[in-house]
């Protein structure tokens, strides 16, 4: 099956067939999971949006990654090497499937249909997650604020198949996501407008050179 179009069937299979998986609801701003050693936890976001957030020793916030429906996350994808202040926080009300790595190796019951679907589709989930991580790395390795912004805008334009698109996050969160100063970012956005590279109307951006 195509996981992206048949997620409901996948979830239904989990609910009916597997006794080792949890389906949990989280309200806005609740912590879904933390990335700490030996938790051995995998999460699939059924609905809603969530952020992977880090606070450094000075209390500065960084949005490491953003998750939306069908995304998979857990410390498997991001080894904590600096500090333990790394966690996934619900931006909106979320539904999440939660299970351990061990479920990939051992079925809860013979012929568990959910395990069959999980094994069939987990590679698609993981590959999609690594594609997202690669995009994130590309953005962060850009040297200037201008290049980071244009890189991010280009990704959104491609995702929406349109040169005009709405930012899915606030400008404050965008600065956190790109690891840049918000004031400097807003000055750069104004400069991009003045140069005729973009148009901005509220949270809507148009790439003029696409």
């Amino acid at each position: 099956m195509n996981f992206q179009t048949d997620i409901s069937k996948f979830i239904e299979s989990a609910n009916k067939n597997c006794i080792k998986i949890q389906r949990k609801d989280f309200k806005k701003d609740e912590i879904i999971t933390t990335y700490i050693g030996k938790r051995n936890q995998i999460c699939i976001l059924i609905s809603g949006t969530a952020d992977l957030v880090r606070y450094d020793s000075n209390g500065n916030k960084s949005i490491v990654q953003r998750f939306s429906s069908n995304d998979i996350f857990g410390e498997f994808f991001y080894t904590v090497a600096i500090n333990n202040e790394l966690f996934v926080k619900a931006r909106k009300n979320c539904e999440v499937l939660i299970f351990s790595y061990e479920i990939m190796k051992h079925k809860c019951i013979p012929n568990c249909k959910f395990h069959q679907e999980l094994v069939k589709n987990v590679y698609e989930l993981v590959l999609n997650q690594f594609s997202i991580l690669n995009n994130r790395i590309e953005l962060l390795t850009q040297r200037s604020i201008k290049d980071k912004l244009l890189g991010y805008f280009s990704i959104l334009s491609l995702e929406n198949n349109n040169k005009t698109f709405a930012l899915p996050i606030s400008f404050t969160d965008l600065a956190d996501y790109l690891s840049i100063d918000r004031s400097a970012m807003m000055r750069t956005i104004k400069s991009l407008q003045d140069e005729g590279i973009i148009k901005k109307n509220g949270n809507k951006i148009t790439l003029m050179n696409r």
Side-chain angles (χ1 to χ4, degrees):
M1 78 178 186
N2 184 323
F3 186 82
Q4 298 300 318
T5 58
D6 292 337
I7 180 68
S8 60
K9 294 180 181 178
F10 182 79
I11 295 166
E12 182 181 0
S13 177
N15 290 336
K16 289 184 177 180
N17 297 290
C18 189
I19 62 175
K20 288 190 175 182
I21 191 167
Q22 294 178 298
R23 180 177 180 175
K24 290 187 175 182
D25 295 323
F26 296 89
K27 294 181 179 180
K28 180 181 177 181
D29 294 329
E30 276 195 289
I31 303 302
I32 297 173
T33 187
T34 58
Y35 285 16
I36 58 177
K38 299 182 180 180
R39 182 180 289 271
N40 295 329
Q41 192 174 75
I42 297 176
C43 302
I44 299 176
L45 189 59
I46 301 171
S47 64
T49 57
D51 288 335
L52 177 60
V53 177
R54 179 195 293 280
Y55 286 97
D56 65 20
S57 57
N58 295 316
N60 297 312
K61 173 186 173 184
S62 296
I63 298 176
V64 179
Q65 197 171 353
R66 169 144 297 171
F67 305 114
S68 55
S69 297
N70 300 354
D71 282 344
I72 187 170
F73 54 90
E75 68 267 33
F76 170 80
F77 300 99
Y78 200 103
T79 302
V80 177
I82 299 175
N83 60 50
N84 288 332
E85 295 297 320
L86 192 64
F87 51 87
V88 179
K89 183 179 182 181
R91 280 187 61 82
K92 299 179 180 179
N93 292 348
C94 294
E95 285 185 278
V96 184
L97 291 182
I98 302 175
F99 52 93
S100 71
Y101 297 159
E102 293 301 312
I103 205 173
M104 301 290 294
K105 302 176 183 178
H106 308 292
K107 294 182 179 180
C108 55
I109 57 174
N111 300 318
C112 171
K113 292 182 180 180
F114 171 73
H115 278 81
Q116 295 171 9
E117 295 295 342
L118 178 62
V119 171
K120 188 190 306 182
N121 292 287
V122 73
Y123 297 108
E124 181 180 344
L125 285 167
V126 171
L127 288 174
N128 180 64
Q129 183 63 19
F130 282 126
S131 176
I132 293 171
L133 288 173
N134 285 337
N135 284 337
R136 170 82 167 141
I137 291 169
E138 285 293 323
L139 289 176
L140 292 182
T141 53
Q142 299 300 315
R143 296 195 175 187
S144 70
I145 294 175
K146 177 180 178 180
D147 287 340
K148 287 183 178 182
L149 284 169
L150 290 178
Y152 181 70
F153 293 159
S154 294
I155 290 171
L156 291 181
S157 179
L158 288 172
E159 288 178 351
N160 289 274
N161 195 30
N162 197 316
K163 66 179 183 179
T164 299
F165 48 85
L167 294 177
I169 55 179
S170 68
F171 286 106
T172 297
D173 283 348
L174 178 57
D176 289 338
Y177 182 70
L178 296 177
S179 297
I180 53 182
D181 177 76
R182 186 185 187 282
S183 296
M185 181 189 74
M186 297 308 295
R187 289 195 297 270
T188 302
I189 288 175
K190 186 179 185 305
S191 177
L192 290 172
Q193 293 180 85
D194 293 342
E195 294 173 29
I197 297 174
I198 68 170
K199 281 187 177 181
K200 174 180 172 294
N201 183 12
N203 74 331
K204 288 188 177 180
I205 303 293
T206 299
L207 290 179
M208 303 305 295
N209 59 351
R210 185 171 186 262

